[in-house]
Amino acid sequence: MLLKLLTFLSVASLLVSHSQSAVSSVDLGSEWLKVAVVNLKPGQSPISIAINEMSKRKSPALVAFQESTRLLGEEASGIIARYPHGVFSQLRDMIGKPFKQVKHLIDSLYLPFDVVEDSRGAVSFKIDENNNFSVEELLAMVLSYAVNLADTHAKLAVKDFVISVPPYFGQAERKGLMQAAELAGMNVLSLVNEHSGAALQYGIDKDFSNESRHVVFYDMGATTTYATLVYFSAYNAKVYGKTVSVNQFQVKDVRWDAELGGQNMELRLVEYFADEFNKQVGNGVDVRKSPKAMAKLKKQVKRTKEILSANTMAPISVESLYDDIDFRSSITRQKFEELCEDLWERSLVPLREVLNYSGLKMDEIYAVELIGGGTRVPKLQAKLQEYLGRTELDRHLDADEAIVLGASLLAANLSDGIKLNRKLGMVDGSSYGFVVELDGPELQKDESTRQLLAPRMKKLPSKMFRSIIHAKDFEVSLAYESEDLLPPGATSPVFAKYAVSGLAEASEKYSSRNLSSPIKANLHFSLSRSGVLSLDRADAVIEITEWVEVPKKNLIVENVASSSPNISAETAAQNMTVEANENLQSESGTSSASNSTAEELSASNSSAEEPSKTELLTEKRLKKRTFRIVEKTVGPGASLSKEALVDAEAKLEELDKKDADRRRTAELKNNLEGYIYATKEKFETSEDYEKVSTSEERQSFIEKLDEAQEWLYTDGEDATAKEFQERLDVLKAIGDPVFFRFKELTARPASVEHAQKYLGQLQQIVNDWETNKPWLPKDRTDEVLKDSETFKSWLDEKENDQKKTSGFSKPAFTSEEVYEKILKLQDKINSINRIPKPKPKPEKKPKKNETESSAEDAKDSSTTSEKNNTENNKAAYESDGSVTKDSSSTSEKNNAENDKPASESDGLAKEKIDPQPEVHDEL
C-alpha cells in the first residue's frame, strides 16, 4: 500500500521548467494564518515564509467591516477593541457547522456578532441592513488576504495552493473550505491534514534506511488538540538503474479533542479577571455585558498568558476597561495553573488514546514532537513529561511554522511546474470511517444495503466499487461509520445523499426481452486526496440473450480449373458482439443509443469462371447496454448552490474593487502629505535653494503648500484619489523646476568635469589605434576626432552661456545633455574597436611544368614530406602585393626564396603555418 502513494519532496534541489512559477501553502488556524511560498526565482530561498505588511511571519485570520470599508489581517486586528461587533474571527471553526453550534461558540467567546440562520441551516452574518455574508464568503476574504501575501512575496501571481486542515474536519467542513478557496481565486491542489504537514517537515532531511521509527506529533493550537502516530521507514528503489534508499512515512492513527486549546486557558483568565474587576467596581456592574470591554480584556489576557510562559508572575493593565475605569492587576503562574487544573488532564487524553490503540510500549516511541503555540505552556510540558516518563521533550520543529512548511513541500510536488529531487513516500489516512446505505422500493434493510465503504485510516486517495442487483430507482446515502465518532457539531452521521434514477425506466423497457441475468447497478466511489468522499458515477449493465443473425462464412472451393495460377480464395469468420451504449437522463427524459452493425465479409475470387459455395449460418450473440445515471446531492451539510456561488463571486468582486480604490486613494493621500512635509523641510534646512529661486517664488510656493495641507486635513479627509492626484500635480508643477535647478547646481559641473576628462583620454585612444590597430579605416578614426572637437566646442559654448544665465532661470544646458553626448561618442568608439583584423589573402598555388615535377620526384627521400609540401606551395608576391602569373617569373621567385637567409625563410614559413592569426578586439 505504501508504494502506491509516493510523494517526492525536496528542499535544497528544485528542478524547474522553463517558465517561472510559484506555488504556496496556507496554514489556516482559528486565530492566525501562515503562508509559505515555493519560489523558483534565482537568488531567492526556494521555500520561505511570506511576511505581511507589518513584516510579521504570521497574520491574524480576521476580516472586519467599518462602515463601508472592509479590512483584512493586521488592519482588522487594529480595530478589534473599538469595533468588536464588526471584526469577525474564528471563521475556520464555523465552516460547515450548523447554526446552533456556531451560535454556542460565539456566545462562549463573548463575540457580539449579529447572526441569523440561512436556508441551509448554517449561520449568516449580518453586516448592516443590506448586507449578509455566509461563513464561506467571510473565509474567502481571509484566504484572499493569504493569496495577496503569496503574490507579494513571490512577485508574481500564485494560483496553486495547498491548505492545511485539522484532522477532525468532516465532509461538510472540507467541502465548505474548498468552496471558500474557490471564491478566493485559489486553485486548491489538495487539502492536507496538519499532522501530515508536520510529518513531511520532520522527515524530509532525515535518513531512515538504517532505522525505522515511530514518532508521535502532539499539537495544541488555539482551539484544538490532537496526537498523531506516524511510522517512518525506508525501502529500496531503482533510480536510473541504481538502487537507492527512499524514505517514507505512514500515518497510523490520530486522536483529538476539538474543543481544547490555548484559548480555553485564556478564557479561564478572562473569567478570573472579569470577576475581579466586577468586585473592584461594585454596584452590580458586570463587565461581561460590554462587548468592547470584553474585547479589550481578552486582548490583554493573551499577552498576560504569554508572559506567564516565561515568568512566574505577570501583570495586566487595561485603560478605560469599562465606563472610563482603568483595570490593573496581576496573577502568578501557580494561580493560573490552578484555574486550568482540569485542562491538564484533558490534554493527555488524545496522547493516551493514540498510544493505547497502537499497542506500542513507551520505549518503542522514538520521539514525541511538540508543535502548536499551546505547547509552550510550562505546566502542559510538565504533564507530558510526567506521563511519558521523559526528562526532555522533543522540539526539533518550529512550533508555528512546521505545518505550513511541510504543506509547501506537498504543494511543490503536486504542481506541474516544479520537479523535486529528494524522495519521501507519504501515506495519510481518513480520520473517519464511512458506510454506504441504500434505500428504495423492494430494498430491505440488511447487511446488503448497509456496507462498510472505507474503514478509518483508509489511505488517501482511494477508489471504491460496490454492486447491487436491483431493477428500481434507489437512493444512496453516505454516512460516518460510527455515531460515537462524528465531526464537531454534526447532528447526524449521514452527510450526503444521491438519487440513482433511470433503472426503473430501463427495466420496463427491456423487461420483454430475454434477460440473461438480473439488472446490476454498479456504484463507483472516490475518496480524494483532500479527504472528500463522493459517488462519482452509477451505471447498470443489462445483458440480453437473443438470436441475432450474424454471417458465418464457410468458403468451399470445388472443381477449380484454371490455367492461371492467380486464382485464390479467402476464408474468414468474425465473432460479432452487438453493443449499444445508452445514456439516460431522468431530468430531461432524453436518451441516445448507438447500435453497431455486423459487417459481412465476402470471398474474393480473381476469376469468375468457377463459382464458390458459401454457407450462411446464425449464431447466438450477447447484446449489452450500459446506462450512466445522473446523480444529485442532498442532505445535511449541503454546500453553497451554484446560484449562491455566482452571487458570492459578484459580491466579493465588488468588495475587491472598492479595496483597490481605497488603497489607491490612501496611497495618493500619503504621496501628497509626504510631498508637502518633505518640501517644507528642504526649504527650511538648505540655504542653497536661495541660489535657484527668488524669495517671492519660495514664499508663494510655501503658501500653496500650506493651503494644500489645510485642505488635506479638512475637506480632503473624504476626497477621492483623483482629487489627491490633481492637488499633487499642481504643487509639482511649481516645485519641480526649482528642485531641478537645485539638482543641476552640483550635477552639471560634475558632468562637465567627466566630459573634459573623457575628451582628454580620447586622443590617446586614437593614438593607440594607429599603433596597435593599423587596419582600422582612417575615415572612421578621423570622424571620431571630428566629433570630439565638435563636442568640445559645444561644451565651451554652453559653459559660457551658463555663466551669463541667472540661477533663477532655466539652465543653458543640463547634465543629462552632457552625458547623452558622451554616450553617443562612446558608442562610436566601441563600434570602431569591434572591427576585426582582416584575414590574410589566400595564396594561389603556381602551375608546375613537367621538368620541375620530374626534378622534385628525384629529390632525396630523406627530405620530409612536410618541407616538400611547403616548398611546392609557396606563392610569389610582387612588391605591391599582386600575384605573379608568369611561370618563369614564378620559378625565379622560388629560387630567390630559397636563397633567402634562414631567419627570413623561417619567418615566412611561420606566417604560412598560421594563415589566420587570432583577432584581438580592444574594448
Side-chain angles (χ1 to χ4, degrees), residues 262-280:
Q263 207 169 73
N264 298 75
M265 305 176 196
E266 294 171 9
L267 283 175
R268 300 293 172 92
L269 290 175
V270 168
E271 299 290 348
Y272 174 79
F273 287 123
D275 290 338
E276 185 175 340
F277 179 79
N278 291 339
K279 290 179 181 179
Q280 291 179 6

Side-chain angles (χ1 to χ4, degrees), residues 422-492:
R422 188 174 299 174
K423 298 180 180 180
L424 179 60
M426 166 183 163
V427 176
D428 197 0
S430 172
S431 301
Y432 299 95
F434 301 106
V435 296
V436 56
E437 297 180 355
L438 307 180
D439 186 20
E442 302 178 7
L443 281 177
Q444 297 181 355
K445 295 290 184 179
D446 54 20
E447 295 181 354
S448 63
T449 57
R450 176 182 167 87
Q451 298 181 12
L452 178 63
L453 188 61
R456 190 170 182 274
M457 302 312 299
K458 175 76 172 179
K459 74 179 183 69
L460 305 176
S462 291
K463 298 284 187 181
M464 286 78 68
F465 174 82
R466 294 291 184 273
S467 296
I468 179 174
I469 297 176
H470 195 57
K472 303 292 184 181
D473 296 348
F474 60 92
E475 281 190 350
V476 178
S477 297
L478 298 180
Y480 296 105
E481 178 184 6
S482 172
E483 294 189 11
D484 297 330
L485 184 62
L486 296 178
T491 57
S492 169

